[in-house]
Amino acid sequence: MTLALPVATLESWLGSEAEDLLSYRARVAKELLHLPGPDWIERIWLPSDRPPQVLRSLQQLYGTGRLAHTGYLSILPVDQGIEHSAGASFGPNPMYFDPENIVKLALAADCNAVATTLGVLGSVARRYAHRIPFIAKLNHSELLSAPNQYDQVLFAGVEQAWNLGAVAVGATIYFGSPESTRQLQEVSRAFALAHEYGMATILWCYLRNPYFKQDQDYHLAADLTGQANHLGVTIEADIIKQKLPETNRGYGAVAKALGKSYGKTDDRMYNELTTDHPIDLTRYQLLNCYAGRSGLINSGGASGKNDFAEALRTAVINKRAGGSGLILGRKAFQRPFQEGVDLFHAVQDVYLAPEVTIA
């Protein structure tokens, strides 16, 4: 396959970080991890308790698009019409008020799947469910109540997702929030039912608590996000979606803010298993996904002036850490259609390039 992004071009996008990101050797050896590959379903999931129908759904998910049969995923997620208001999300590119264009973008970009709401998928299911895997997002934070309440509530049911032809369901838990216990119970039940119906499960393992934002934003701390990942795989999430870590030592910062002890730590979490390097921080997230048995996909983040550089940097960090891909939304659909396609293809090239190795 011809790559649209030569390594020299990738290095130019990475700028001054290029040599470090592309040659860094991670603190935790890659031999301790379960790494993506063409045999992912047989090697990782065949020995598990997942029913044959779930294995078939996972194979469809990993076997579609430009990254088919590599063990890597490139997914278009669009639930921001609920999470961030439709106007804020689609104002930069109003064509995406029409949900069919969301699916068309995922198809044109050769994605493994499109992840979006019940309403979006239901409106075009008969035309597209057989052409690209659907991931139905079950819960959202509606953000219209005043004052805003940051709570994930169920918008859809597992049976509805199955009826519209979804191969997987997705859900978010705001770990650390007062509502997280209820969300954990709801999502655990939904994921168990989804597996009974033969669908795979993807969990957005996000953090939400005002104490997590101190001198830095510890919502992006490797130790806290890593633990969120570990809780996610405990309820049998097949794939974990997490934000790229930017810092560490969140436990200590939260304890200081609370004025009392918080959580449990071990010095080796910081001195032996991680460093301040982004690849090490991301690898720690992956370690908490049962050493990679559940694939780690990082999110692309909000759109801005440097979307290509930021997305490619995230892809390099995720791949070299041992992750399973990128789930890229606003950076793609808030720009002209063809530019969104080009951005996806550039990110996919990172995962297809043998020169970008596991650290």
Side-chain angles (χ1 to χ4, degrees):
M1 178 181 292
T2 301
L3 303 186
L5 185 75
V7 172
T9 305
L10 176 59
E11 290 175 348
S12 69
W13 280 113
L14 296 176
S16 60
E17 290 186 288
E19 183 177 356
D20 180 45
L21 290 178
L22 292 172
S23 63
Y24 183 75
R25 183 174 180 179
R27 174 66 62 88
V28 173
K30 63 184 178 182
E31 287 76 15
L32 293 178
L33 304 172
H34 301 276
L35 297 171
D39 61 342
W40 183 252
I41 306 304
E42 289 80 7
R43 175 163 45 92
I44 300 300
W45 293 117
L46 192 61
S48 75
D49 66 350
R50 304 309 194 261
Q53 295 92 336
V54 174
L55 300 181
R56 182 175 59 192
S57 293
L58 285 166
Q59 186 63 59
Q60 186 176 353
L61 189 63
Y62 281 92
T64 298
R66 197 157 172 261
L67 297 183
H69 311 300
T70 63
Y72 292 111
L73 297 169
S74 173
I75 298 173
L76 170 66
V78 186
D79 59 358
Q80 285 84 3
I82 298 174
E83 303 283 352
H84 302 288
S85 92
S89 297
F90 305 135
N93 200 348
M95 67 178 288
Y96 290 108
F97 276 103
D98 183 344
E100 185 172 10
N101 288 323
I102 294 171
V103 183
K104 285 182 176 180
L105 175 60
L107 279 167
D110 302 298
C111 291
N112 296 74
V114 56
T116 186
T117 67
L118 172 72
V120 167
L121 296 177
S123 69
V124 295
R126 293 185 185 277
R127 179 168 292 175
Y128 293 105
H130 62 293
R131 296 180 60 187
I132 186 169
F134 283 0
I135 302 167
K137 187 78 170 10
L138 300 181
N139 65 0
H140 310 277
S141 184
E142 46 84 16
L143 295 187
L144 192 59
S145 54
N148 284 162
Q149 298 178 30
Y150 294 94
D151 185 14
Q152 290 286 326
V153 295
L154 291 171
F155 274 56
V158 171
E159 187 174 357
Q160 290 174 297
W162 183 79
N163 282 332
L164 60 79
V167 304
V169 299
T172 299
I173 295 177
Y174 283 153
F175 289 105
S177 72
E179 299 82 12
S180 62
T181 299
R182 190 206 79 245
Q183 295 168 11
L184 185 60
Q185 293 170 333
E186 288 177 350
V187 174
S188 179
R189 289 192 294 267
F191 279 10
L193 185 58
H195 281 157
E196 289 182 19
Y197 271 82
M199 292 181 287
T201 56
I202 304 175
L203 187 63
W204 280 238
C205 288
Y206 286 173
L207 303 179
R208 184 79 70 181
N209 191 298
Y211 284 105
F212 292 171
K213 200 162 188 177
Q214 303 298 328
D215 60 310
Q216 299 182 67
D217 188 356
Y218 292 99
H219 291 92
L220 304 176
D223 53 354
L224 297 181
T225 54
Q227 181 60 20
N229 292 356
H230 197 73
L231 296 175
V233 294
T234 300
I235 61 171
E236 294 201 327
D238 303 320
I239 298 165
I240 296 293
K241 179 193 176 189
Q242 184 57 266
K243 296 179 180 180
L244 196 72
E246 296 181 3
T247 187
N248 210 352
R249 297 185 180 273
Y251 279 112
V254 175
K256 183 177 180 180
L258 289 170
K260 58 182 179 181
S261 64
Y262 173 72
K264 297 290 184 182
T265 61
D266 186 304
D267 287 343
R268 285 165 288 196
M269 292 166 55
Y270 309 108
N271 300 331
E272 296 182 17
L273 299 180
T274 57
T275 67
D276 292 334
H277 197 283
I279 291 175
D280 282 329
L281 296 176
T282 307
R283 180 155 293 183
Y284 186 74
Q285 288 184 339
L286 184 65
L287 275 174
N288 280 276
C289 298
Y290 292 159
R293 285 184 180 270
S294 290
L296 172 67
I297 54 176
N298 288 120
S299 54
S303 58
K305 295 181 179 179
N306 302 305
D307 285 340
F308 273 76
E310 291 173 0
L312 293 173
R313 178 182 185 271
T314 302
V316 167
I317 292 170
N318 173 271
K319 182 181 181 182
R320 299 213 68 227
S324 293
L326 224 57
I327 183 162
L328 190 71
R330 284 169 286 174
K331 288 185 185 305
F333 71 75
Q334 289 186 339
R335 62 192 326 107
F337 187 91
Q338 188 56 49
E339 286 186 18
V341 172
D342 292 342
L343 178 56
F344 268 110
H345 285 172
V347 166
Q348 292 161 8
D349 282 349
V350 171
Y351 292 97
L352 292 170
E355 297 87 351
V356 181
T357 60
I358 308 299

